[in-house]
Amino acid sequence: MEHLFFDSIDEMRNQTGSHGPNYLRNHTAERDYFSPLSIVTSIQKPQEYLFSNYMDAWSFCVHTPNKHEFFHETYMHKHNFFELMYVQRGHVRVMIEGAETTYTQGNLCLLNRNTMHRETDMSNADIVYIGINASLLTQWPKSFPPPFQYKSILNQFFSDNLSERAAYKKDYLDFTLLGEDTIPQLTQELIRAFSVKRIGYQFDVYSSLLRLFAALENPDIYKATHISLRHSQELLAVEQVKKLIEAHHGAIHRTNLAEALNYSCEHISRIIKTNTGYTLKAYCQKVQMAEAARLLRNTELPVCQIAASLGYENRTQFYKVFQREYGLTPLEYRRHIAEE
């Protein structure tokens, strides 16, 4: 376990490594993990806040002062994985799409990959997050029993959301504790497996997951409720706009989007703002800067050429936008990546 210490939220926000909750610096709409399974703990202590992440590649713990401003730093976001949130202590308020829900000790929710959410108040809670990548389920070892019971609510939820027709589906499962809470023991087993990484620890992970899923499917332990959210034409339109922006690496004008998709400019601006929290210009700039960072990391192209390829005739403006996004100039960013 690598320990990372920050004296303030600002210092943490300015860290440039790939680890840690770097959404404090980059408030992107989608947050990705780089492991089929990731266990995250968010724990308050009297003097500090601990954010620990356990996974296959490596594990780390971020230490910051326990100040309330940290607990209001989360933004509406979604993931490229399914997120199981478990409240280990206290309570947490979560905004899921347009509705706020409070989860108390022992209760959980399982969020679909397309479901936008944010923790609106986590200042009195210890939370465990389990990030489940689709590949973990689609490549489940044949030597193990199936992860879910036939026709169970978990089986139905994952089956529906792994299909191609679910590209824009927004839903989640709500679990209310009725019986004995075994989740703390099971999450500790998962954390121990990733921390110690003894020979064959992957078998420990699958074994603990099987028992975790079995507990969630047991009607004597949890009342499970499926909650379906918006699945509208507007969401389809938003995804169309986002995909076209990303295909052009953010270098596309609003009029071109309107012409390509047969929407008005005003409609495109409105639905992007409503569904991402960013203006159309800001969203395009975020996509541009993500592509700029990729080119700086993976090519030796001059900065001026990268800026021009992304539609920036004014290199000063490109530097300004990039530094606002990453906290470093393009050259500093490239140098830092090379040093790492």
Side-chain angles (χ1 to χ4, degrees):
M1 167 76 73
E2 181 175 351
H3 290 267
L4 308 162
F5 295 88
F6 299 96
D7 293 328
S8 69
I9 300 303
D10 286 336
E11 182 184 349
M12 186 177 178
R13 185 184 289 110
N14 292 329
Q15 59 96 9
T16 56
S18 59
H19 50 254
N22 51 19
Y23 55 80
L24 292 175
R25 184 178 71 255
N26 301 320
H27 302 146
T28 53
E30 296 192 31
R31 300 182 189 166
D32 299 345
Y33 272 119
F34 35 90
S35 177
L37 185 74
S38 179
I39 315 298
V40 171
T41 59
S42 167
I43 296 175
Q44 274 196 90
K45 296 183 76 68
Q47 300 299 324
E48 63 179 348
Y49 168 76
L50 304 179
F51 178 95
S52 303
N53 198 328
Y54 306 87
M55 63 186 94
D56 264 324
W58 62 303
S59 301
F60 61 86
C61 179
V62 175
H63 301 247
T64 61
N66 187 357
K67 294 184 179 178
H68 285 295
E69 68 259 27
F70 180 89
F71 303 101
H72 300 282
E73 290 284 347
T74 59
Y75 289 72
M76 289 297 287
H77 63 280
K78 62 180 181 179
H79 303 282
N80 67 343
F81 55 87
F82 299 95
E83 181 178 73
L84 182 66
M85 183 193 76
Y86 166 72
V87 182
Q88 186 166 297
R89 181 194 63 81
H91 66 271
V92 57
R93 288 203 298 270
V94 185
M95 180 71 71
I96 303 177
E97 292 295 331
E100 189 173 61
T101 303
T102 298
Y103 287 90
T104 54
Q105 183 173 330
N107 297 320
L108 309 92
C109 71
L110 175 61
L111 292 159
N112 184 13
R113 292 171 293 177
N114 299 313
T115 305
M116 298 289 287
H117 60 282
R118 68 179 286 257
E119 293 84 349
T120 56
D121 183 6
M122 50 190 285
S123 59
N124 186 35
D126 294 339
I127 308 169
V128 177
Y129 301 92
I130 300 179
I132 304 170
N133 192 282
S135 64
L136 182 78
L137 302 175
T138 58
Q139 300 172 24
W140 188 266
K142 294 182 179 179
S143 57
F144 276 87
F148 313 117
Q149 298 177 35
Y150 182 60
K151 289 189 176 180
S152 72
I153 192 169
L154 279 179
N155 192 27
Q156 189 68 50
F157 177 80
F158 283 113
S159 297
D160 288 347
N161 286 303
L162 289 172
S163 68
E164 291 183 5
R165 67 179 182 274
Y168 310 111
K169 190 177 180 184
K170 291 176 178 281
D171 60 350
Y172 67 99
L173 296 182
D174 189 286
F175 295 91
T176 302
L177 183 65
L178 302 176
E180 181 183 357
D181 188 3
T182 60
I183 303 299
Q185 175 189 340
L186 294 170
T187 56
Q188 283 303 311
E189 288 179 9
L190 289 167
I191 289 171
R192 191 179 310 115
F194 283 127
S195 300
V196 179
K197 288 188 172 64
R198 66 180 184 178
I199 295 175
Y201 75 93
Q202 294 89 348
F203 292 95
D204 297 333
V205 170
Y206 284 113
S207 174
S208 297
L209 277 178
L210 281 170
R211 284 180 286 123
L212 174 64
F213 294 148
L216 295 177
E217 291 178 325
N218 188 332
D220 293 329
I221 301 178
Y222 282 101
K223 176 187 176 183
T225 306
H226 177 253
I227 300 172
S228 181
L229 302 170
R230 298 178 301 155
H231 191 175
S232 67
Q233 188 63 36
E234 179 174 301
L235 293 174
L236 298 176
V238 170
E239 294 301 324
Q240 287 179 316
V241 174
K242 288 168 65 178
K243 284 182 178 179
L244 196 54
I245 291 171
E246 290 161 7
H248 288 79
H249 304 306
I252 185 170
H253 294 290
R254 186 174 70 159
T255 52
N256 300 125
L257 288 169
E259 182 179 349
L261 299 172
N262 199 27
Y263 298 127
S264 70
C265 293
E266 292 72 21
H267 180 68
I268 288 174
S269 295
R270 182 187 65 78
I271 63 176
I272 285 293
K273 175 66 175 176
T274 300
N275 289 275
T276 71
Y278 298 104
T279 64
L280 180 61
K281 179 181 178 181
Y283 187 83
C284 286
Q285 284 183 339
K286 295 188 75 62
V287 174
Q288 286 174 322
M289 294 306 106
E291 175 63 9
R294 187 189 71 81
L295 292 172
L296 288 166
R297 290 194 305 269
N298 301 322
T299 75
E300 296 181 359
L301 291 172
V303 174
C304 60
Q305 189 172 336
I306 292 174
S309 72
L310 295 171
Y312 284 85
E313 297 178 0
N314 185 333
R315 192 170 67 172
T316 301
Q317 178 65 13
F318 173 76
Y319 268 72
K320 180 180 179 182
V321 176
F322 189 92
Q323 188 162 16
R324 184 172 65 221
E325 184 73 15
Y326 288 95
L328 299 168
T329 68
L331 290 176
E332 289 171 340
Y333 180 86
R334 174 173 272 171
R335 190 180 306 117
H336 177 77
I337 293 299
E339 290 172 354
E340 280 196 335

